[in-house]
Structures are given as C-alpha cells and as structure tokens.
Amino acid sequence: MKRILLAVMLMMAVSALAAPVFRTAAATDEDPAAAGRKAAEALKAALGGVEPQVVLMADCFEDKENKEKALAAVTAVFGRDKVCGGATYGMFTQAGALTEDAVGLLAIAGVGVSVAFEEKLGAANLTLEKDEVALTAALRSAGARLAKKLPKAGKGNLLIVISDAHSPKNQLLLDGIQSVVGKKLPVTGGSVNKNAGQNWIYHHGKAHTDAAVAILLSGDFKLAQAGRQAKDNDAVITTAKEGAAEAATKLGRKPIAVLAFDCAGRKGKLKNIGDELAAMQSALGKDVPLFGCYCAGEFGPADETDADKSMCYGRGWHVMVTALGAK
Amino acid sequence: MIKTLLPALALASATLVNAQVHVRANNFTVNPSTGPVTHVTVRNSGRQSVSGVLRAQFPDGWKVSPTERSIELKPGETKQLPFAIEKGADVSANSYPVRIQFGTLDVTQRVVCASAPYFKPTIDGDLAEWKDSIPISFAKTVVRTYWSSKQFSLAVEVEEDKLTGKRGVEFSLAASDEGKRYGFVVGADGKCEGVTAVVKRDGNVTRYEIGVPFKLMPELKPDAGREFLFSLVVHDPDGIGPRDIGAVMNPLPGQRQFEFGFCSSIH
C-alpha cells in the first residue's frame, strides 16, 4: 500500500513539474463574492484540468469586508492553502485592465513552488522621515526572516514578493531578503495598496496587515526582466512598451507568460487606462498570458543610470516586467 | 448643491516676470518625498515671441532633473515645463521655496503640496481624524482634504472673531480646464444640498467638516495619482473679508482654480 501511495505521489510530482503553466483570469462585479467566483471559475477553465501549485490573487475592492468576500470566493474554488496575494489599485491581464471592484488571478503550475509568509514586519505606522533607524532594522530583519522560511532560497529561478511595505520602504525589506538569498536571484512583485484600511496581504484564506508573502519558483524555465520608470502619460505608455520589448528580447523566445508589477502612480498619470496595456501588448502580442497589477512600490530591475543591472531593487514609479519562457 | 461662480477677488500675483511673461511654479500634487514630476508654467502675454533658458531651483538638498529647460513662446502661448523631483523631502509647514530664473527674471515663489490623501473620516465636526492630511495655511485659515472612492472630504478651520454676516465656505472642483466645474457653498449653518457638513465653533475658530459625494461630480474619477482642479474661498464679511486659497498658489492672471491631486495615504 505504501509503495502504491509513493508511486502515485511521484507521478503527481513529475506531472506537476512536467512543463511550466501560467494562466490568468480576471473579473469585475460590484458584488465582491461574485467577482471572486467569476475570476476563479474562469481561471479553472483556463487551466484545463491542470492543478495549480499556487494562485496569486490581486483585488481592488474598497474595505476589508469586501476584500474578504472576494478572497473567500477564490479560496472556495482553489483551497485556502493555494491562494496568496494582496490588495492592489487594480490589475490587468491579456484581456484588459480593471481598476474598480475587480479580482485578478495568476495560476502557476508545472514548476517548483515554495511559499513563505511573514507577519508583524514591524513597519506599521513608522515613517522613514521620523523612524528611519527603527524602520530599517525592522524591515531588514523581517525580510531575512521571510527568506529563511524558503527552503533552498538561493536555488530558485524567481522570487515573487508581495508586501505591506510600500516604496521606499520596499527596498529595506528587500535588503533583508537579499541578505539571505543573495543579490543575484531575480525578484519581482509589488507592495499592496497603502491607503488607510486597504493594505491587506492574503495568505491561507486570511487577510493580514504589516505582512509579506514570498513565492519562490524553480524549475525548467527561463526568464528575463526589465524595469522602466515614468511619471507622465506619454512616458508611461512609451516605457511600458520599452520594458515589455526589452524583457521579451532578452528572453530570446516567445514568452509563455509575462508578469508586470506596475506603479499605481503611473496609472494615475494615464489619460486612458488601456493605453499602457496596449503598448505592452504591441511588444508582446495579445495572446501571451499576462498578469499585472498596480502597486504602491515594485520589485525588479531599477531604471536608474547608477543601478547594478544584474540586481533587483525595491522602487516606485516603475513597471517591472518579467518574461517567462520554456527552456 | 448651490452652483455659483467664485467672486472675482484681487489676488496678489507673484508671477509677473516682466512686461509680457508670467511664470508660476505649480503646486506639488503628491508629497515631494515620493519623487513626482512638477511643472513650471510660463505664459507669454505679450505681442512678441520670447525664448531663452528657464532655470528652476528647488529646496536645498533636493535632486531635480533637469535643472533648466530651453523654451520658446509665441505671443499668447502658455507652456508647462516638467521637472522631475528625484529626491525631495516633505516639511510639516507645507511651504517650499522654488527659485525661477528666466532672462532678467529672478523670483522665488513659495509652493504648497496640494493633495488629498486617501481616508474616510466621519463627518461630525471633530477634526481629530485629519492628522494624516496635508494642511494648506493662509490668512488665518487651514484647509485639509481627503478622498475615498465615494466621497471628497474637506476640513476648513477659520480663525474669526466676529460671527455676523453671511459666513461660509465656497469651493469648486473640476476634472480639468475643459471639464464641468462643480461648485458648492456651505454656510455657517452647515447647510448645502446633497452635501454632508457639520460646523462647530471652538473659541475663535470655526471648524467646517464637509463630505461631498462623488456622485454629485460624475466627471471626477478619484484615483491615487490623478489630478483635479480646486478653488476655495472663505467668506468672513465682518472680519478680514474673503480669504482665497489662491493667495498661496501664485496665480496667473485670471486663474481661479488650481491643480490638486488625489494621493495614497501618507504612511
């Protein structure tokens, strides 16, 4: 009996790592439970029977009560243990951008996945202006604790971090993470909505503040990253296209998926929300699974002349693009 | 809702450069510490084209790029010159010196951060919840703003000794220069159709706490980082007279509304 069980478990593991699968879905509805349910059911259909190892969720409902209803609807489909993510200012997929009363989902399968969660970062109500020393110590320590919860953290291909530590605090958290995983591990992700009462991290079916979640991906896939910053309408559109094109070009093959953690400030400068997505898709094509969300800080390559191009940073005003491809 | 035009007050303009060119350092619409792009407005009111290099110098210790821009203006033309604040710092007084040099012009203007952070206060006349707002002070008056998805909130503290006459706060919002202007007048009795307002008196300070549903202003789409136009006048007929927020916004001739921003909560 034990042999049969072991064989089944091995087959499941091989199946899970057979080929990387990234699928996205999003839905909008004034009823947060309906939005969560629609998005989850659409994602399930897109997966076509493949069981995801993790589902990354972004929402843009107002108030914890509504966010929890959306979260519950998603976990009802995929299970509490597989869903993590956070509150954002909106999201986009290859199907379009949603900035009000919406849920966006990214399912990941076929790769190695480790998820770590850290609560009580110690950053709540502290500001860099008044509490720089305490804040720096707290976030660096929390980042290190978070990374140490990832088995073989330095061996992964990509680390996705979702944190309640907005720009410029996000760099302090990343400093702590990189003290454990090193500075060469590609990192992407974003900071959750920083508005009062809206800053929630999702993990195991619950909403937490002053927290962070990290998803380490490993396995048989390639990736390439690009970061671009901009602060006005035209530049936001131009840099989105440039960032997407650079990541896709560096990847050297058609992406199987693209992640784009984008700044809410950039979104605020857009005269037409869809223009930035259209610019990215002009470089990527419209058929590539794309998962993006608008954040209060982004992780990835910094678009700065003095930045080390081989490292990732925590920044604001950026779109951080990660193109993923088969090996 | 009462729609009125703001009175044509004679605001002191700090923008006159010479006989034909005016300059204005625009308000910051998010906190300078977040590294926004800000603008200097230049208007040629003369009959001849003007050209040259405009230099903008921000507070000590800030890093701004570029520090100067070449400009050419036809008669009647107005341009907005962008300057990216790469490193800035917030000050509690919310007043920042910006020196502008253009040709023979050399002026220093005080600029405010005019931004409404996200928050949902209870409109009850108690302003304890407003500690995370960004105050703008002028003429014994302090104005604070907040926003949420459904409501624009406004707190106005007016230091006034006499309580006679038709007192109140008159303000307007618009999505853009071309957009509809939504005007409101909240009297000392707190009455204004469609608006929630509570007015309380504490010593010689009158406190207005006001909530305006965005459904009354359908062209305004509140979102972090998005800008809008705002004006406000406090009516105090038996005191120091009308108090216009434009007094601290270096208005160009004829300018009645000023750029504001919706921003994320400040912590």
Side-chain angles (χ1 to χ4, degrees), chain B residues 161-175:
Chain B
D161 296 323
K162 296 179 181 177
L163 301 179
T164 54
K166 193 173 182 180
R167 297 176 303 119
V169 173
E170 182 175 0
F171 58 98
S172 72
L173 296 90

Side-chain angles (χ1 to χ4, degrees), chain B residues 166-235:
Chain B
K166 193 173 182 180
R167 297 176 303 119
V169 173
E170 182 175 0
F171 58 98
S172 72
L173 296 90
S176 67
D177 280 329
E178 298 78 31
K180 182 177 172 62
R181 183 161 143 170
Y182 302 100
F184 305 89
V185 179
V186 177
D189 58 1
K191 290 182 179 173
C192 181
E193 188 181 344
V195 169
T196 305
V198 176
V199 184
K200 287 188 175 178
R201 181 84 176 157
D202 181 12
N204 67 339
V205 176
T206 306
R207 295 195 172 92
Y208 296 80
E209 190 173 27
I210 301 164
V212 185
F214 277 113
K215 66 183 179 185
L216 297 180
M217 306 178 286
E219 289 185 9
L220 280 162
K221 305 296 181 192
D223 198 1
R226 200 160 288 282
E227 294 186 2
F228 61 101
L229 297 174
F230 184 69
S231 67
L232 183 142
V233 173
V234 173
H235 295 285

Side-chain angles (χ1 to χ4, degrees), chain B residues 43-124:
Chain B
R43 176 183 294 173
N44 180 7
S45 302
R47 295 180 179 176
Q48 294 181 328
S49 294
V50 294
S51 63
V53 173
L54 185 145
R55 294 182 181 83
Q57 185 178 329
F58 291 81
D60 291 344
W62 289 26
K63 185 181 175 188
V64 178
S65 179
T67 55
E68 61 182 41
R69 283 190 177 276
S70 297
I71 184 171
E72 185 171 341
L73 287 168
K74 295 172 186 169
E77 190 174 16
T78 300
K79 284 187 176 175
Q80 305 259 352
L81 307 182
F83 292 89
I85 299 171
E86 295 176 356
K87 182 187 174 190
D90 308 332
V91 296
S92 57
N94 192 16
S95 179
Y96 303 86
V98 178
R99 181 181 178 187
I100 301 170
Q101 296 168 283
F102 183 51
T104 57
L105 157 77
D106 188 345
V107 296
T108 297
Q109 298 179 347
R110 306 293 303 190
V111 175
V112 299
C113 175
S115 199
Y118 178 96
F119 196 82
K120 295 198 283 188
T122 302
I123 305 298
D124 57 5

Side-chain angles (χ1 to χ4, degrees), chain B residues 2-11 138 154 168-174 181-186 229-235 242-247 249 251 254-258 260:
Chain B
I2 302 171
K3 294 174 184 171
T4 61
L5 291 177
L6 290 170
L9 299 177
L11 292 176
F138 60 98
L154 175 67
V169 173
E170 182 175 0
F171 58 98
S172 72
L173 296 90
R181 183 161 143 170
Y182 302 100
F184 305 89
V185 179
V186 177
L229 297 174
F230 184 69
S231 67
L232 183 142
V233 173
V234 173
H235 295 285
R243 312 175 192 185
D244 193 323
I245 198 170
M249 295 188 177
Q255 185 176 11
R256 305 245 47 87
Q257 286 191 309
F258 304 92
F260 266 62

Side-chain angles (χ1 to χ4, degrees), chain A residues 157-210:
Chain A
N157 298 34
L158 176 66
L159 185 64
I160 302 171
V161 180
I162 310 296
S163 73
D164 181 13
H166 59 82
S167 172
K169 299 176 186 175
N170 54 352
Q171 179 61 54
L172 303 176
L173 183 74
L174 185 60
D175 287 342
I177 293 170
Q178 289 177 329
S179 71
V180 175
V181 304
K183 295 191 174 184
K184 300 303 179 188
L185 176 65
V187 181
T188 193
S191 307
V192 294
N193 190 318
K194 62 178 272 197
N195 286 339
Q198 313 304 318
N199 52 325
W200 298 99
I201 293 282
Y202 306 136
H203 181 252
H204 281 189
K206 290 185 178 177
H208 310 259
T209 59
D210 198 28

